[in-house]
């Protein structure tokens, strides 16, 4: 069982983590994902991770800009339709019930704040609902409910993963650990192409829009307030939820500080995920997971016969 947390472009590290787990012979029996975790998780369960990784590693800043579709609606600044179109090109029109590996996408009911677990219906629509970051992407209406980003209610969907297969060990990935600073490549915007600088300007617009008070002091703008508040909220919710319902193995890649739209930096972000998972292997944490499962008498098939 794998629970993939939310975190915008930081979530590309999920790809690296899944690659290492595969290399170690881990048989993933089900996946639950929040926000970008739902995107990567759904793609993985559909058997399309190779196609997605090739696409995302080849993306540059100009390609990322082409995926953003500003709208005039007050409920969000981006419509998300271009991203959905690209996902349909990779996945096709696929029902969640058709997936080879069971999958749950976690969203949040906008009116009640309740966690919503999506495990049936159109796969891409479920992904889009799970990634509807408040104030950035417009909400999605499914089954008479307006849904927003699952990170508002469940940043790391351990509970959703546990409900899919009781008794199996859960490997969870948390992207909201603010103590882990990104150690990948640093880009100089002075030497960057125009598309890179434009994406940076858009990033600042979304995350650091500010007004000015009469006395000249900076006042946080609406978008800055929304973005920063959601980030801080998810970090605190994650700490409490993981303490209340800890996974069997928690992985926390060094990706905090990656920009919201930094998908064009896929190589170092994916590498950060690989390094995180490989460190867990080198430290023997995967073997410890197997040992705990044996003691409980609930050893999953993928661990049987391993030393």
């Amino acid at each position: 069982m794998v629970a993939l947390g939310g975190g915008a472009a930081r979530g590309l590290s999920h790809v690296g983590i899944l690659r290492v787990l595969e290399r170690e012979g881990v048989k993933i029996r089900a996946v639950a994902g929040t926000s970008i975790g739902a995107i990567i998780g759904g793609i993985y369960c559909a058997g399309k991770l190779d196609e997605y990784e090739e696409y995302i590693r080849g993306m540059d800043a100009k390609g990322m800009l082409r995926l953003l579709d500003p709208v005039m609606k007050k409920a969000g600044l981006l419509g998300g339709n271009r991203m959905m179109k690209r996902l349909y090109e990779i996945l096709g029109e696929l029902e969640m019930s058709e997936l080879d590996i069971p999958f749950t996408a976690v969203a949040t009911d906008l009116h009640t704040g309740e966690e919503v677990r999506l495990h049936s219906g159109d796969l891409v629509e479920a992904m889009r609902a799970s990634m509807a970051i408040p104030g950035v992407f417009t909400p999605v209406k499914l089954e008479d409910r307006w849904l927003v980003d699952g990170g508002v209610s469940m940043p790391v969907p351990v509970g959703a993963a546990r409900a899919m297969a009781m008794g199996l060990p859960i490997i969870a990935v948390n992207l909201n650990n603010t103590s882990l600073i990104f150690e990948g490549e640093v880009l100089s915007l002075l030497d960057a192409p125009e598309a890179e600088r434009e994406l940076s300007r858009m990033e600042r617009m979304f995350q650091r829009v500010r007004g000015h008070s009469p006395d000249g002091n900076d006042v946080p703008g609406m978008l800055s307030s929304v973005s920063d508040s959601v980030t801080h909220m998810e970090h605190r919710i994650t700490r409490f939820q993981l303490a209340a319902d800890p996974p069997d193995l928690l992985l926390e890649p060094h990706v905090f500080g990656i920009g919201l739209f930094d998908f064009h930096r896929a190589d170092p972000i994916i590498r950060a995920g690989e390094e995180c998972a490989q460190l867990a292997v080198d430290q023997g944490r995967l073997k410890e997971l197997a040992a705990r499962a044996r003691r409980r008498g609930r050893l999953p098939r993928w661990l049987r016969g391993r030393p």
Side-chain angles (χ1 to χ4, degrees), residues 134-157:
V136 178
F137 289 102
T138 55
V140 175
K141 191 173 186 179
L142 289 179
E143 297 180 358
D144 297 324
R145 291 182 297 188
W146 284 103
L147 303 179
V148 294
D149 195 300
V152 174
S153 59
M154 190 62 62
V156 183

Side-chain angles (χ1 to χ4, degrees), residues 29-197:
R29 307 303 295 272
V31 177
T34 290
S35 197
I36 184 62
I39 302 294
I40 304 299
I43 289 172
Y44 178 81
C45 291
K48 297 291 185 177
L49 192 60
D50 288 345
E51 291 87 338
Y52 179 78
E53 184 175 356
E54 180 180 3
Y55 161 70
I56 203 68
R57 285 186 183 272
M59 176 180 286
D60 57 13
K62 186 179 295 185
M64 185 64 228
L65 280 171
R66 285 196 291 265
L67 285 180
L68 304 180
D69 51 352
V71 294
M72 298 304 294
K73 296 179 181 179
K74 294 181 180 180
L77 295 174
L78 297 176
N81 292 327
R82 294 177 186 172
M83 290 187 178
M84 287 185 68
K85 180 180 179 182
R86 186 62 188 127
L87 287 173
Y88 275 121
E89 290 173 354
I90 294 173
L91 296 166
E93 295 187 3
L94 189 61
E95 294 289 310
M96 297 175 74
S97 60
E98 299 175 318
L99 297 174
D100 294 332
I101 301 173
F103 171 66
T104 295
V106 175
T108 302
D109 188 305
L110 180 60
H111 296 298
T112 67
E114 295 177 344
E115 174 192 4
V116 178
R117 298 173 182 177
L118 304 171
H119 43 75
S120 63
D122 184 89
L123 175 60
V124 174
E125 285 187 352
M127 291 174 168
R128 171 65 178 86
S130 182
M131 60 162 264
I133 303 172
V136 178
F137 289 102
T138 55
V140 175
K141 191 173 186 179
L142 289 179
E143 297 180 358
D144 297 324
R145 291 182 297 188
W146 284 103
L147 303 179
V148 294
D149 195 300
V152 174
S153 59
M154 190 62 62
V156 183
V158 174
R162 199 180 304 282
M164 297 175 73
M166 297 297 292
L168 291 182
I170 295 176
I171 301 173
V173 184
N174 173 31
L175 305 175
N176 291 306
N177 192 333
T178 57
S179 66
L180 299 178
I181 306 302
F182 184 59
E183 297 176 347
E185 61 188 30
V186 177
L187 303 178
S188 171
L189 291 178
L190 295 177
D191 300 325
E194 175 58 29
E196 182 80 43
R197 294 194 294 272

